[in-house]
Amino acid sequence: MTDTPGRTPLSERARDAVRERIATGRYPQGSRLIEREVAEELAMSRVPVREALRALAADGLLEMLPHSGARVRRLARADVEHLYEVWEPLAVQASRLAADRVAACAPDEPEGLSRLRAALARADEAAARGDAEAEASANSEFHDEVVALGGNPLLARTMDQLNWQLRLLFGLNAEPAQMREQHRRMYADVAAGDADTAGAATLIHVRDSRAAALRSLAARRTD
């Protein structure tokens, strides 16, 4: 099987597939990934899978094990603290920029607002059918769309570097109903074009999310 021009190279496809499995918990934190087994699961040769695992180790999602494949990184309390220290000001600024964009477009509605509503709807639908993976994915998409609505490409690139580690944290959240409610509050403030209230709502959300992630992490350590 060879790469076809114009398509995503096999190593990138393998990277995306493994990364998605890590983010959704299909490959749990601390689990060992055997190159041969992953290649068989993805119906690929071992070479692109090996490249994908190395790339994900560079992204901070995996730890390479000498002569024995890789292991999904197990987040420690310090990892959670450090990530939230970086994410908090960026998330607040993203919401402020999104609200400013709405205000600048008034009375018209920027296209990004409909995508925010769609992400909220997907989260609610996933919760209703008990699909935790889809709900976590929709919640992550909501934050992505807030950033996109703000229209700052540098912020978007910076957030993209954090995105997959943030999805690990969203997967830890054992209190999704609160997250969905806070996202609705954030949406309302952004849609109103009020940067101050949008920023304040986002600050509360991020800090509550941090506390929930730490509680969940502590509970897993005692299981």
Side-chain angles (χ1 to χ4, degrees):
M1 188 173 184
T2 58
D3 293 345
T4 302
R7 293 187 178 180
T8 305
L10 282 180
S11 60
E12 285 298 310
R13 287 168 53 191
R15 181 181 182 179
D16 290 344
V18 173
R19 189 164 52 183
E20 184 68 25
R21 285 163 169 76
I22 293 171
T24 60
R26 183 170 175 178
Y27 293 163
Q29 292 182 35
S31 62
R32 182 182 171 191
L33 302 184
I34 307 300
E35 182 183 296
R36 171 181 49 79
E37 294 176 355
V38 174
E40 290 175 356
E41 181 179 347
L42 300 181
M44 293 182 179
S45 69
R46 294 174 65 171
V47 172
V49 169
R50 184 180 307 128
E51 294 172 351
L53 296 182
R54 288 172 178 168
L56 291 171
D59 289 342
L61 295 180
L62 295 177
E63 300 169 339
M64 299 306 296
L65 303 174
H67 313 297
S68 58
R71 180 172 55 213
V72 179
R73 182 180 176 190
R74 188 184 295 277
L75 294 177
R77 181 184 180 91
D79 296 319
V80 176
E81 296 278 14
H82 294 159
L83 190 52
Y84 273 100
E85 286 171 358
V86 174
W87 184 42
E88 180 180 298
L90 296 177
V92 170
Q93 182 64 5
S95 290
R96 293 184 61 87
L97 289 174
D100 284 340
R101 174 83 179 282
V102 171
C105 290
D108 298 324
E109 178 182 290
E111 181 182 350
L113 273 181
S114 64
R115 293 196 294 269
L116 279 179
R117 287 194 296 271
L120 290 175
R122 283 193 294 273
D124 287 339
E125 291 164 2
R129 64 177 185 268
D131 190 339
E133 289 185 9
E135 183 179 354
S137 180
N139 287 332
S140 179
E141 289 172 13
F142 175 84
H143 284 281
D144 291 344
E145 294 298 345
V146 171
V147 173
L149 179 56
N152 185 310
L154 180 57
L155 178 60
R157 288 195 298 272
T158 303
M159 290 295 291
D160 188 57
Q161 295 175 14
L162 300 176
N163 187 51
W164 288 99
Q165 293 187 58
L166 288 172
R167 287 192 64 177
L168 286 180
L169 295 182
F170 294 158
L172 284 176
N173 195 331
E175 304 164 26
Q178 180 186 38
M179 177 176 285
R180 294 196 308 276
E181 178 58 34
Q182 290 180 341
H183 282 178
R184 285 190 285 270
R185 178 71 264 169
M186 289 167 59
Y187 169 80
D189 293 333
V190 167
D194 190 329
D196 288 340
T197 56
T202 302
L203 180 62
I204 291 172
H205 170 62
V206 172
R207 291 185 175 177
D208 284 352
S209 175
R210 169 186 172 276
L214 289 172
R215 284 193 295 271
S216 181
L217 189 67
R220 293 185 181 207
R221 290 290 185 266
T222 58
D223 288 343

